[in-house]
Amino acid sequence: MFKKFSQWLDSLEDKNEGVENLPSEERRRFLKMGLTITGVFAGGTLLSLVSKVDDVFGSIGGYSERYPYKPHYAMVLRVDRCIDCERCMEACRRTNHVPEYGWRTKILERHIPLGEGEWYREFMPILCNHCNNPPCVRACPTQATYKDSRTGIVRMDYRKCIGCKTCMVACPYDMRYFNEEKRAVDKCDFCWESRLSKGKKLTACAEACPAGVRIFGDLSDPESEVFQMVHSETRVVWVLRPETGARPNVFYTKG
Amino acid sequence: MKRYFIFLLAVFLGCLLIHPPTWSQDEEDYPQEPIIFTKPVKAVIFDHKVHVEDNGLSCDSCHDDPFEMEAGSTQEKPDFNMKALYDGQYCGACHDGDTAFASNTQCARCHIGVLGMKRILGIKEEVHH
Amino acid sequence: MTALKQINPPKNKIIALFYVLGGGALLLGITTGLLSFYLGHHLLYGVTREVPWGLLIVTYASFAIISTGLCIVAAIGHLFKAKTLEPLSQRALYMAIIAILAAFLAIGLELENPWRMAIWMVLSPNLTSNIMWMGLFYAVAVVLMIVEFVLGQLAQRKAAAVAAGLASVASVAGLVGLITDILANSNLGEVFGFINAKPYWYGPFLSIYFISNACLMGFSAIVFFTWAAYSMFGWEMDEPLQKALKTAGKFIGLFAALVLFLLSWWIVNALAGKVFGQYDTAKALVAGPYALNFWFFEVVLGILVPLIAAIVYKGREISAMAWAGLSAMIGGFINRYDLIVVPQTIPHYQQFNVVAPAELATKFYPYVPSVSEFLVFLGALGLICFGFVAGEHLFKGHIAKH
């Protein structure tokens, strides 16, 4: 137990060793040379070739060894490939009948500083993280939102929603909105109702993406692309807001 | 006579306001506003200024090959896509990793996306509750 | 047998004003609330996807906290037989019921589908949900408080032998009611305290803070309402009541000091720790868009006025302490507002240098209460005003006849 604790302490040390911490001088030099930051990583000239998966999850306890659902749906987002064409958003809206005033997935535009007024652009798609420890599910008074015991998808039972909106406040990712027509909170369900339950293999957004940003699959299957990306030795993988302890199943990476 | 002169001057200045003088651009007469491609995906920016002023290209570096003069004509071509660029066509003629950064890197440098397009065109994003 | 002695003519105009304005606001609030169900909350209420909890949740939390405080005050006199405070108990119990009903009114008109609550909280309750436990405990608590109150009233009208029996049943109801009420209040605190998405709330602190505020609100409310009743109706305060109010006045000071202590460390901790969300909230409060709310309402009106009044008058100047109590309640309301709204206005993706889309890239998510929300708030407030004067009439000054 103490060994685990000390491992945990160690993991806190370098938790944030991401691209943001590259010295800006070097970053700019590489950019000027026409190389991407990802290229730098993959080339391994700057950082050692160590996967950060365990660091990300090591800080909140053993996670990557076991996946409790079958299939354990997950998505890996290759952010540096996203070009904000928003075809994913359109496909999602069409497929899931998302009303005008709501959204289930969105693209954020980030300007990541390089120092001295310089920055580079990155588009970051966001969607429900289908957390293993979903704060929304814990907070719901009537189990109107729940973790599907088979697939791990965080779903809604619309008729049970009393509209207290606690789940909306509890979500660290702003992934829930109130659907007036359904008189219930609505959210991404990895297209379970519209596609997966009908035998399709991909979510609408993953299928619509022209740039291969959204890799969707079964994290419990070692043969799957998502598993291999998340467990690659050479790939930096992270999740959003890990400090909340929500343990997302949507991962971010580059390249 | 003097009045007539003032009148002429006023008309002349008025014309300047409506149409900025062209002679200030020298022979390098290129579009000042960036061009935004919306096909095959939304949206890609091309800025003449950066290419001419910062990188010293001249008109005939790119016109009429690989790009026709007429703005927007390129994006109507069916083969105007990333694959063509990787094969050295269109932007890929220079953006090959030697002359300029390669087409398969730094995607968001040229792809400003729907958000970037709306910002440049001044389209107000709708804020929904 | 104690009877109320009339020493001044009742201020009938003010009493009528309480009935008319209170009742009018109540009707207007209920109408607005029902209209919002019909037209859709999104059209009439100012809450958004990013700030889903607004003025009505604030109203609910505020009145629920006042109710818990009054319930505690009532219990000290009734149950724990603290003779000094006993003259306050009956009115405190009554106002605790009125306050929680006002809170229920606000949340009932705030929930999108309150009718589904009655079905699904029973058929499919989530045992890990604080909202579920809070709702359950407050519902049980209000029933028990009403039972205690009704039995207490009946006991006064019966012969001594029967009265003793009824009173002991009332005590049991009162004790269980107090426990459920405190459980409800601590769950209310943990509704926020359990939300790790908002680091300013997260942790066990909120339930401690809420119960401390409940004590401050309870003593403030009872001193204010008792004083208001006696001066409006022109009754004479007898010796035990004056003593009770003076003691309660000292408690106002004590709990104002406690709240000052808790709030200070909360803010200092958040500012110094610079944890995402905590720091931003504290900064918005002390030197940002909510600085007026914080310094003037929360600190000066909510804490310093009652604290200094209690020190200067040693709690003995009843009318001064009554005004100090009102000040504490107003400041307390704004404190609940800031506590609930401001952490929600910190953008979810603020750490990520987001520049677009605009609604997610702002420094603060906007929230301004809509007119409809304000009218429903006034309705809940109206219920308290109306209920207060009606109670004085119906129960004749809440005087226990022995």
Side-chain angles (χ1 to χ4, degrees), chain B residues 3-98:
Chain B
R3 250 186 217 167
Y4 180 65
F5 180 72
I6 289 172
F7 173 74
L8 264 187
L9 190 68
V11 169
F12 177 67
L13 287 174
C15 289
L16 279 188
L17 278 177
I18 294 161
H19 194 274
T22 46
W23 62 79
S24 63
Q25 290 178 2
D26 287 325
E27 64 277 8
E28 297 287 18
D29 183 10
Y30 57 83
Q32 297 295 296
E33 294 296 317
I35 288 174
I36 296 174
F37 297 98
T38 54
K39 290 176 199 168
V41 292
K42 289 176 200 157
V44 175
I45 194 167
F46 174 82
D47 194 349
H48 276 94
K49 244 184 196 163
V50 173
H51 288 80
V52 174
E53 288 175 18
D54 299 355
N55 295 296
L57 298 181
S58 61
C59 302
D60 58 3
S61 306
C62 307
H63 298 299
D64 288 323
D65 187 49
F67 294 102
E68 284 170 21
M69 271 290 185
E70 195 196 336
S73 60
T74 307
Q75 69 174 3
E76 300 303 331
K77 306 209 160 143
D79 70 332
F80 183 52
N81 55 34
M82 290 311 289
K83 178 149 192 326
L85 268 56
Y86 301 156
D87 294 341
Q89 291 173 268
Y90 304 114
C91 320
C94 295
H95 286 280
D96 55 1
D98 285 330

Side-chain angles (χ1 to χ4, degrees), chain C residues 62-119:
Chain C
S62 295
F63 291 172
I65 287 173
I66 291 178
S67 174
T68 299
L70 286 163
C71 181
I72 292 170
V73 172
I76 294 173
H78 264 170
L79 299 172
F80 305 129
K81 303 295 176 212
K83 278 276 172 250
T84 326
L85 289 175
E86 204 173 0
L88 305 177
S89 291
Q90 200 64 9
R91 181 177 282 103
L93 182 60
Y94 174 79
M95 286 309 291
I97 295 168
I98 295 297
I100 196 66
L101 291 180
F104 284 160
L105 177 70
I107 203 168
L109 295 174
E110 198 274 348
L111 294 178
E112 300 269 1
N113 313 301
W115 54 90
R116 288 186 193 163
M117 187 169 61
I119 307 165

Side-chain angles (χ1 to χ4, degrees), chain C residues 358-372:
Chain C
E359 74 263 27
L360 295 180
T362 52
K363 193 147 185 279
F364 297 104
Y365 294 133
Y367 170 71
V368 181
S370 71
V371 174
S372 304

Side-chain angles (χ1 to χ4, degrees), chain A residues 128-142:
Chain A
C128 173
N129 284 259
H130 297 280
C131 309
N132 271 15
N133 181 29
C136 51
V137 169
R138 189 204 60 75
C140 177
T142 58

Side-chain angles (χ1 to χ4, degrees), chain C residues 337-373:
Chain C
Y337 183 91
D338 290 347
L339 189 159
I340 291 170
V341 169
V342 181
Q344 292 180 75
T345 65
I346 309 300
H348 295 79
Y349 292 93
Q350 184 222 42
Q351 300 157 297
F352 292 86
N353 306 95
V354 177
V355 297
E359 74 263 27
L360 295 180
T362 52
K363 193 147 185 279
F364 297 104
Y365 294 133
Y367 170 71
V368 181
S370 71
V371 174
S372 304
E373 284 173 306

